[in-house]
Amino acid sequence: MASQEPQGQINKIFQDYLPGSPDPPSQGKLIEPIKVWKHAPPPPSLPPGLEYLSQLDQIIIHQQVELLEVILGTETCSKYEIKNHLGQRVYFAMEENGCFDRNFCSPIRSFTIRITDNTGREVITVNRPLRCNSCWFPCYMQELEVQSPPGTIVGYVVQKWDPLLPKFTILNESKEDVLKIIGPYATCSCFGDVDFEVKTLNEMSTIGKISKFWSGFVNNVFTNAANFGIQVPIDLDVKIKAIMIGACFLIDLMFFENSLDGL
């Protein structure tokens, strides 16, 4: 009986390709890192532009240093790069508001932050109205609305009154409580990171955190540029991850906007 010819051995190089990577190279060839991730068509169940968040459990938010702000000391519109854990830019965010708001209402100023993907498409809109930032006004504390796509509300971040700790609640589009964020007693970095813990509603379990990274003495004194990291479960709803990004912007402006906050 004639023996069958083998169909050939399958030799694959298993790699963790990011979306938008080039075709697999030949074996033994080095792979150069990709600096910008290219968006693929989203699954029908996800808001357009949020599909990549389903693959992330770590999100890095880097505020860009504005030269005019350093030289003149004036407050300019904040700009942020939103990256994955490899340092590849996923989104770009830019603040929109008036000069009066930025320079005279700085920590409590109203704003609209538009978050675009690497093709320039706006995928997330964050709206913050002008509200109080004092425990003496518990009925009018900070609130933030997140839309994705723009015009469709996916959730809210609401500050909760507490005499000692910074506390926030993450709400879904139906204004139902989903998660809580609880900060430390002191939010100055003191030459170290500052962690805001993401907890379940009963505050018994910690499932993630929003961290303000210590960026060095010179940077913290002469600029208000900040670096943040968000850690959440990878299977968390992408809408909630988008709301967490909005919460990070709110925490930045409330507690770390002034250049001497890091001391």
Side-chain angles (χ1 to χ4, degrees), residues 106-127:
S106 184
I108 62 171
R109 65 181 184 257
S110 61
F111 64 67
T112 295
I113 292 182
R114 303 190 185 279
I115 302 176
T116 58
D117 62 17
N118 291 321
T119 67
R121 175 184 56 170
E122 185 175 347
V123 296
I124 303 173
T125 304
V126 180
N127 293 315

Side-chain angles (χ1 to χ4, degrees), residues 1 11 28 34 41 52 85 134 143 152 158 181 231 245-246 249 252 258 262:
M1 185 174 182
N11 183 17
I34 298 171
Y52 189 51
H85 69 286
S134 170
E143 184 172 319
T152 302
V158 178
I181 300 174
Q231 295 184 22
I245 294 175
F249 294 141
D252 178 27
N258 295 326

Side-chain angles (χ1 to χ4, degrees), residues 181 194-196 198 209-212 228-230 244 247-248 251:
I181 300 174
V194 181
D195 294 331
F196 287 71
V198 181
K209 62 182 178 179
I210 297 175
S211 301
K212 195 272 185 181
F228 285 86
I230 301 174
M244 296 289 292
C248 187
I251 289 171

Side-chain angles (χ1 to χ4, degrees), residues 37 39 52-53 60 72 84 86 94 97-100 102 117 127 131 149 160 181 183 189 197 212 214 231 238 252 260:
W37 176 75
H39 291 263
Y52 189 51
L53 291 181
I60 307 299
L72 301 180
N84 60 19
L86 298 176
M94 183 170 181
N97 53 20
C99 180
F100 179 87
R102 292 194 304 273
D117 62 17
N127 293 315
R131 298 177 72 92
K160 296 298 181 181
I181 300 174
S189 62
E197 295 183 335
K212 195 272 185 181
W214 166 250
Q231 295 184 22
V238 294
D252 178 27
L260 296 179

Side-chain angles (χ1 to χ4, degrees), residues 150-237:
T152 302
I153 298 174
V154 295
Y156 305 85
V157 182
V158 178
Q159 183 185 13
K160 296 298 181 181
W161 183 87
D162 189 277
L164 299 175
L165 298 175
K167 288 190 175 183
F168 302 88
T169 301
I170 301 293
L171 293 78
N172 61 19
E173 63 270 25
S174 301
K175 292 196 172 182
E176 299 169 336
D177 294 357
V178 178
L179 294 170
K180 290 188 177 181
I181 300 174
I182 301 178
Y185 291 101
T187 56
C188 61
S189 62
C190 297
F191 305 99
D193 298 345
V194 181
D195 294 331
F196 287 71
E197 295 183 335
V198 181
K199 292 181 172 288
T200 55
L201 291 178
N202 59 11
E203 301 184 12
M204 299 298 293
S205 300
T206 300
I207 67 165
K209 62 182 178 179
I210 297 175
S211 301
K212 195 272 185 181
F213 299 136
W214 166 250
S215 52
F217 178 82
V218 174
N219 185 70
N220 279 29
V221 170
F222 295 102
T223 77
N224 59 11
N227 294 312
F228 285 86
I230 301 174
Q231 295 184 22
V232 290
I234 195 169
D235 59 350
L236 186 68
D237 186 346

Side-chain angles (χ1 to χ4, degrees), residues 63 66 69 74-80 93-114 125-131 142 144 224 249-250 252-254 257:
Q63 184 177 3
E66 296 294 330
E69 186 173 312
T74 59
E75 189 69 35
T76 60
C77 289
S78 297
K79 298 177 182 178
Y80 304 85
M94 183 170 181
E95 176 187 8
E96 292 182 359
N97 53 20
C99 180
F100 179 87
D101 285 342
R102 292 194 304 273
N103 290 280
F104 295 98
C105 307
S106 184
I108 62 171
R109 65 181 184 257
S110 61
F111 64 67
T112 295
I113 292 182
R114 303 190 185 279
T125 304
V126 180
N127 293 315
R128 179 198 189 191
L130 181 65
R131 298 177 72 92
Q142 291 296 308
L144 182 144
N224 59 11
F249 294 141
L250 180 60
D252 178 27
L253 291 182
M254 287 182 63
E257 178 65 17

